Amino acid sequence: MAFASAITGYSKSGDKRVVYGTYTNGSGDTGGDVNTGLTICEFITFTHKGTAVSASPVTLNETLPCPGSAVTIVTDDGVDGYWKAEGY
C-alpha cells in the first residue's frame, strides 16, 4: 500500500479554516503529500498513531505558508498518524 492521506473533518476558527485527517504509509513508504483541502496552509501539526514509539518525528518538507493541496511530509517507514492544518 502506498502513502495516502484523507480529510476526516473541518471547522472554522475566525476567518481561517481548520482541517484535520489521517495519513497512512505502507511498508517501505516514508511519507508523501498530504492534501489538506486548503488553498494556503499556514500551520500543520502531526501525531503518530499506534502503540510503539516512532524513532523520529514527522518532518515537514515545505516552507510555510505553502499550497495546501500538496503538503509534503517525511516519516519513518510504515508510520501512520493524524494531522491538523490551519489556513485559507
Side-chain angles (χ1 to χ4, degrees), residues 48-75:
H48 290 293
K49 173 185 172 186
T51 58
V53 175
S54 178
S56 303
V58 173
T59 301
L60 180 63
N61 196 15
E62 301 285 351
T63 300
L64 296 176
C66 69
S69 60
V71 180
T72 306
I73 65 171
V74 180
T75 68

Side-chain angles (χ1 to χ4, degrees), residues 3 29 37 39 52 65 69 78 87:
F3 178 87
D29 289 328
T39 302
S69 60

Side-chain angles (χ1 to χ4, degrees), residues 18-50:
V18 177
V19 184
Y20 49 94
T22 62
Y23 64 90
T24 56
N25 281 296
S27 180
D29 289 328
T30 56
D33 288 341
V34 172
N35 183 352
T36 66
L38 299 169
T39 302
I40 299 292
C41 179
E42 295 183 318
F43 175 80
I44 190 164
T45 187
F46 303 95
T47 302
H48 290 293
K49 173 185 172 186

